[in-house]
Amino acid sequence: MRWIALFALLIALAAGLAWYGLQARWFTEPVWPYLHIAKSSALVAVAALATGLLGRLAAGIACGQLGWQRRLRERAGAEPDEPLREVTWAHWALVSIIWIAIPLALLDQWGLGAVSEQAIERLLNSGIRIGDIHLVPGQMLLGAVVFFALVTLFRWLAHRLETTWLARTPLDASLRESVATLFGYAAFVIAVLVGLAIGGVDLTKFAIIAGALGVGIGFGLQNIVNNFVSGLILLFERPIRTGDFIEVNGTEGYVRKVRIRATEIETLNRQHVIVPNSDLLSNHVTNWMLRDTYGRITVGVGVAYGSDTTLVQRLLLQAAEDHPLVLGGDQNLAPKPLVWFSNFGDSSLDFELKCHVRDVTKRYLIASELRFAIDQAFRTHGVTIPFPQRDLWFKNPPGAEPASTPD
């Protein structure tokens, strides 16, 4: 690995310079430059080693390579493929602290302690001025560290709130998720305000920013605010919950996540569609699972003219009753399956089998299995499913001579 090679190279350089310094002492040559170079090289090598170890640790936690890393991700409420942004932020914050401290330590090592103290004073207290803006890097770094720590803490609290504390209450899973989501957003705003305050940002100046945002909202951010308010309405009213099977604007699938701006829908083809929350409130939305998972399906079939319609009705009902996911035995749950003689078609007698199923999300599978069963039953009992037939008649108009054929 590159960082291991760099560490070995710097250690070898430090050892060589130290040995040379000791040899120089024997020959009464000045030894302190070599020893300082050796110490400086060793210090840089340790910093490089610490940077490499932090990088490997952050990558391991991000992927969940080891058992304790996976348990840490579970406690933080991270999904299996979701990166932990807090770990990335903490990694870069620690690396920044290390490589800010290294130059100061090197200055002190080479007898430039006054310069080092002046740099630390400017870094932590006096800061720098750019026009009317006063920046204190130390405060900014401390504010960033506090912000990352609060975000991590609030993320863990939101996960515990949803999975442990609210799980002991009679609230259902979707309501627990809504409460945890709202808590997470409110906690993130608090973390931002606390981090800015510690970083030395004057929060009273946000009134000017709020006025500018108001003008921006009036001109170009209406959709963002509309989606934001719509997201709050969805989280409070909960007409759509995580796990529901919905259909909106021709897209149907499972609701995977209701966020503050948009809702994530996973289709049956495992495509993830991001739908703005305003579309879910302003358009017609079909929620197949709002109250329960029951639903009704319709299977159409046509038989040839002259077929025994009573036999057709009995075979269709038998196919529905034999399917394990079709309701009908318990009238309290859903009505029994029924067969409609829907029409006298051009080439067939048209029937419709209407039945309620236990899981409406499997309606395509159930309809396909019913068609297989109906086809097998019709073959067994000699019921014919016709195909469209058309007879074409050619008739010459009166007085027209028949067309001559070439010799």
Side-chain angles (χ1 to χ4, degrees), residues 193-401:
L193 295 178
V194 172
L196 291 176
I198 295 178
V201 178
D202 188 3
L203 297 180
T204 58
K205 296 181 179 179
F206 273 87
I208 301 175
I209 300 177
L213 287 177
V215 175
I217 290 171
F219 284 100
L221 302 179
Q222 300 97 331
N223 291 334
I224 296 178
V225 176
N226 188 14
N227 291 325
F228 178 81
V229 176
S230 300
L232 294 178
I233 294 174
L234 291 176
L235 290 174
F236 278 108
E237 291 189 355
R238 299 189 303 120
I240 297 172
R241 300 160 300 185
T242 301
D244 287 354
F245 192 86
I246 67 172
E247 181 178 356
V248 55
N249 294 334
T251 300
E252 62 178 15
Y254 293 95
V255 177
R256 292 308 182 196
K257 192 69 175 179
V258 180
R259 303 185 184 275
I260 202 67
R261 189 195 64 84
T263 298
E264 179 183 346
I265 299 176
E266 182 181 348
T267 66
L268 297 178
N269 294 328
R270 299 191 62 82
Q271 297 172 330
H272 293 266
V273 181
I274 308 301
V275 180
N277 289 329
S278 59
D279 290 350
L280 298 176
L281 292 182
S282 60
N283 297 324
H284 292 285
V285 179
T286 302
N287 190 342
W288 293 82
M289 302 172 62
L290 182 60
R291 298 288 180 262
D292 50 48
T293 60
Y294 301 146
R296 193 177 79 164
I297 63 174
T298 300
V299 177
V301 63
V303 299
Y305 276 92
S307 301
D308 186 351
T309 55
T310 304
L311 175 63
V312 172
Q313 182 184 24
R314 180 169 59 84
L315 294 177
L316 294 177
L317 292 176
Q318 186 64 41
E321 293 172 0
D322 292 341
H323 199 284
L325 295 181
V326 174
L327 300 173
D330 190 352
Q331 290 294 316
N332 295 327
L333 295 178
K336 289 184 177 181
L338 57 89
V339 175
W340 283 6
F341 192 160
S342 60
N343 196 13
F344 292 95
D346 295 337
S347 304
S348 63
L349 304 175
D350 298 332
F351 292 84
E352 290 182 353
L353 171 62
K354 297 181 179 293
C355 53
H356 287 77
V357 297
R358 298 182 184 275
D359 189 354
V360 71
T361 61
K362 298 180 180 179
R363 62 188 185 276
Y364 297 118
L365 174 63
I366 298 173
S368 176
E369 293 176 348
L370 287 176
R371 292 187 181 97
F372 277 114
I374 291 170
D375 180 71
Q376 183 62 37
F378 281 4
R379 291 176 184 273
T380 302
H381 293 82
V383 178
T384 303
I385 299 178
F387 54 87
Q389 298 182 8
R390 296 289 185 270
D391 293 333
L392 216 55
W393 292 78
F394 294 95
K395 184 176 180 180
N396 295 329
E401 296 182 359

Side-chain angles (χ1 to χ4, degrees), residues 42-121:
L43 190 62
V44 173
V46 171
L49 177 62
T51 302
L53 291 177
L54 288 174
R56 287 184 61 85
L57 180 62
I61 296 176
C63 301
Q65 296 177 351
L66 302 179
W68 68 269
Q69 295 172 348
R70 290 190 290 270
R71 290 191 296 271
L72 178 63
R73 290 175 56 84
E74 292 176 0
R75 289 183 177 274
E79 298 295 333
D81 297 332
E82 179 185 2
L84 276 176
R85 299 183 181 87
E86 293 85 353
V87 175
T88 304
W89 296 339
H91 167 239
W92 287 111
L94 292 175
V95 170
S96 300
I97 293 174
I98 290 174
W99 290 104
I100 289 175
I102 287 297
L104 300 177
L106 292 178
L107 289 175
D108 185 70
Q109 180 70 31
W110 286 87
L112 301 175
V115 177
S116 176
E117 292 177 0
Q118 183 180 3
I120 294 175
E121 174 66 20

Side-chain angles (χ1 to χ4, degrees), residues 174-187:
S174 61
L175 183 56
R176 295 199 301 267
E177 183 181 4
S178 299
V179 173
T181 302
L182 292 174
F183 172 79
Y185 286 124

